[in-house]
Amino acid sequence: MNSRRTILKTAIVAAGFAVTGLTAASAEELDTLKEEGVIRIAMSGAYPPFNFVNDQNEVVGFDPAIGAEIAKRMGLEVEIITTAWDGIIGGLLANKYDAIVGSMTITDERDEVVDFVGPYYSDKRAIFSKPGSGIESLDDLEGKRVGLTLGETHEDWARERGYDINTYKGLPELLLELENGRVDAIVNDSIAAILAMNEKGQEYQMFADPTTEPFGAGIAIREGSPALAAEMQAALDALMADGTYMQIAEEWVGDDIR
């Protein structure tokens, strides 16, 4: 683990210690949510079509639709909170919301500080550049400016490979920076970037990262809440089995992405 990841993990754990008593308190977390009747779910709001703010200033997309359906099946209302991605786990551990439903990649590092429900979809890392850029392999990224979203797993990957990187708040900024030539390539989950660029008519070329396997996106909750995890997983399994998942996926993504 490099020094940056060590600092990141230390900051996350420190935020968790600010919410002490993760034994009895969190063991009854499901009961507390049932009493309140609301579950607060967090996402960046800057990751179309998975989660974004529409013209009516509503947070919409695949993630909030999945989160709202899970909440409904648990007998709960849903409150959606948007927050910066690079601090989203710290906010969960500091009790600012109850779950993260924001296309979070399940990793061993994250699994050390949160519990995951899911995965609820899978994806692959990909590299995007302008047509004719000559960037067709990872070796071609050497000496190029690479754009990434701050706090994503792709950032650690790019830093470990020694690329010259610029970080941004979300996918819309990444696409704009690539379009305007301020970065030579961007690294992102393939589905979201492809759909977003097709939607805006932005031309691109891409290749999948050959060094990593497809990954799953999960719902993060605080550790020590097995009843909450089990009920959320049961709701997710049910909506995947009865056709609801496909309805949501067709609306927002256009395909089955399990």
Side-chain angles (χ1 to χ4, degrees):
M1 182 180 295
N2 63 29
S3 60
R4 181 186 174 277
R5 298 179 76 177
T6 302
I7 293 168
L8 173 63
K9 182 177 174 183
T10 301
I12 290 172
V13 172
F17 286 148
V19 192
T20 55
L22 289 180
T23 52
S26 55
E28 300 171 3
E29 190 160 357
L30 179 60
D31 292 337
T32 300
L33 293 176
K34 295 280 190 178
E35 289 174 6
E36 295 176 349
V38 177
I39 184 169
R40 303 163 298 164
I41 64 174
M43 57 199 67
S44 71
Y47 198 60
F50 288 93
N51 62 85
F52 62 101
V53 181
N54 66 11
D55 293 338
Q56 290 73 47
N57 204 34
E58 302 164 326
V59 183
V60 297
F62 182 79
D63 291 328
I66 291 291
E69 184 64 28
I70 288 173
K72 184 176 77 172
R73 291 171 186 242
M74 295 171 65
L76 300 171
E77 297 293 325
V78 66
E79 177 185 347
I80 297 173
I81 296 169
T82 58
T83 187
W85 187 255
D86 60 323
I88 200 165
I89 290 181
L92 175 67
L93 299 183
N95 237 346
K96 294 180 179 178
Y97 27 83
D98 307 303
I100 300 169
V101 191
S103 295
M104 177 169 282
T105 302
I106 300 171
T107 67
D108 291 340
E109 183 183 17
R110 287 171 173 162
D111 199 35
E112 290 179 10
V113 292
V114 300
D115 286 337
F116 281 103
V117 174
Y120 64 102
Y121 77 86
S122 61
D123 203 352
K124 186 82 165 64
R125 175 181 294 131
I127 293 83
F128 298 84
S129 60
K130 287 184 176 181
S133 68
I135 299 174
E136 299 176 352
S137 71
L138 296 182
D139 290 340
D140 295 329
L141 292 176
E142 297 294 338
K144 301 294 194 299
R145 292 166 299 169
V146 180
L148 307 105
T149 297
L150 182 65
E152 285 190 342
T153 54
H154 309 308
E155 183 190 354
D156 283 334
W157 171 84
R159 288 186 185 278
E160 288 171 357
R161 295 188 66 88
Y163 296 138
D164 177 13
I165 71 171
N166 292 356
T167 56
Y168 302 94
K169 292 181 180 179
L171 182 57
E173 281 191 74
L174 283 180
L175 300 186
L176 185 62
E177 293 294 279
L178 178 63
E179 187 174 34
N180 291 338
R182 285 188 283 269
V183 295
D184 301 301
I186 62 171
V187 182
N188 202 84
D189 297 353
S190 64
I191 296 172
I194 290 170
L195 291 173
M197 284 194 274
N198 288 345
E199 175 70 20
K200 65 181 294 193
Q202 183 171 346
E203 294 185 348
Y204 63 91
Q205 64 183 42
M206 65 159 283
F207 64 91
D209 168 27
T211 68
T212 55
E213 296 297 318
F215 50 79
I219 298 168
I221 62 173
R222 287 180 287 276
E223 290 186 321
S225 300
L228 175 60
E231 187 152 339
M232 292 185 77
Q233 186 66 58
L236 176 60
D237 291 344
L239 72 90
M240 283 186 165
D242 66 14
T244 305
Y245 182 91
M246 272 306 302
Q247 292 175 5
I248 295 172
E250 286 286 353
E251 178 180 1
W252 293 108
V253 185
D255 205 353
D256 190 343
I257 55 174
R258 283 174 283 192

